[in-house]
Amino acid sequence: MDDDLLDLLAYELGEIHRWEEECPGVYYLAVLPDTANAEEYYIVLEDASISQEVRAMGRPLQSAPVLTYRLDSEDGAYTAVKYEVLKYLTLHGLPLPEDSSLLDAALFGAERCPNYFGAYPVPLCTPWGRTLRHRPLDNGVYWIETEQCVEVLAVCYPVWDGELSEGLLEIGRKLEAEGDMGYLYFLREAACVAVWELLRTRSELIDAGLIRKPELMNAIWRYQPGYALGYNAQEQAGLHDALGLLLYALGVEDRELKGSPEYMIAMDPETGTDFIGFWK
């Protein structure tokens, strides 16, 4: 990347801390803006081997003939850029970056940018037989009824790898044919805890009526009481106070960690344990 282009990028994006060529015409850029947090981008030049579909998702700059893709953008377009970079390297027999693969890029990309990659497919089989009916809770999170008349929660690899606790990973079951990066399957007795942890980033499932929270908490107390006790103890100790923990990690020790009874797993004697809000 020539100095003139770097100057134009710095003028519009901020001071450039680091840049690297990913493949011809595609660059990674780390920028130090006016705020305390650095920002990261993919920069795509006009002559880059990037599809028109991905180009349409980029943000043009006024000062330079490039497209930008922030690496924390909600639309996940940067994952499509990364995939096409790895695809270019693969097609040209060039080495991939360490710990990178097209499969990983596609799996994680499908979570962030399903418009490009497509949504995660519904698994055809589970450890309890073939899938007969299903309802999506989210992209890659499905509630399934099997041919053994068993209801199962299926969670795809990128989601369970990033959002479920270690104990749940040991409880969930996999299909050998899917390998280590396949779905993780939970019967209802364990699915209640998996759903509880997934709700941390999917509260809209409650608003939409797909999950009934009082029944979910009752199910956790019925089937996984040890989890409920441990979770509530952590909440009382403020160990779920994300802001407080961050400040503590940054050296701010005069702020006490805060917990709240509002966020504990409670029991409701007026409701049951049927926490799935469909198939009635």
Side-chain angles (χ1 to χ4, degrees), residues 179-259:
D180 291 336
M181 293 189 293
Y183 275 82
L184 205 56
Y185 301 90
F186 301 90
L187 290 173
R188 180 181 290 265
E189 290 77 8
C192 57
V193 174
V195 169
W196 177 262
E197 295 192 358
L198 292 172
L199 285 176
R200 287 179 293 200
T201 56
R202 296 171 176 81
S203 60
E204 67 275 6
L205 297 180
I206 296 174
D207 299 334
L210 297 176
I211 300 297
R212 292 190 283 262
K213 187 175 180 180
E215 288 86 343
L216 178 65
M217 293 190 291
N218 280 355
I220 295 173
W221 274 110
R222 177 176 178 179
Y223 300 119
Q224 306 292 336
Y227 180 92
L229 288 169
Y231 183 92
N232 286 351
Q234 290 179 339
E235 180 62 36
Q236 284 182 314
L239 297 182
H240 301 147
D241 180 2
L243 176 59
L245 292 171
L246 175 61
L247 292 174
Y248 186 82
L250 294 174
V252 181
E253 300 182 1
D254 58 348
R255 181 190 184 279
E256 293 186 4
L257 297 177
K258 298 178 181 179

Side-chain angles (χ1 to χ4, degrees), residues 62-85:
Q62 294 181 349
S63 60
V66 303
L67 296 170
T68 65
Y69 304 78
R70 279 185 59 139
L71 269 62
D72 61 352
S73 62
E74 292 186 3
D75 64 7
Y78 67 93
T79 63
V81 177
K82 179 177 181 179
Y83 174 81
E84 294 205 359
V85 165

Side-chain angles (χ1 to χ4, degrees), residues 50-70:
I50 295 295
S51 70
Q52 291 302 317
E53 184 179 3
V54 174
R55 288 181 180 278
M57 294 187 280
R59 183 178 75 88
L61 296 183
Q62 294 181 349
S63 60
V66 303
L67 296 170
T68 65
Y69 304 78
R70 279 185 59 139

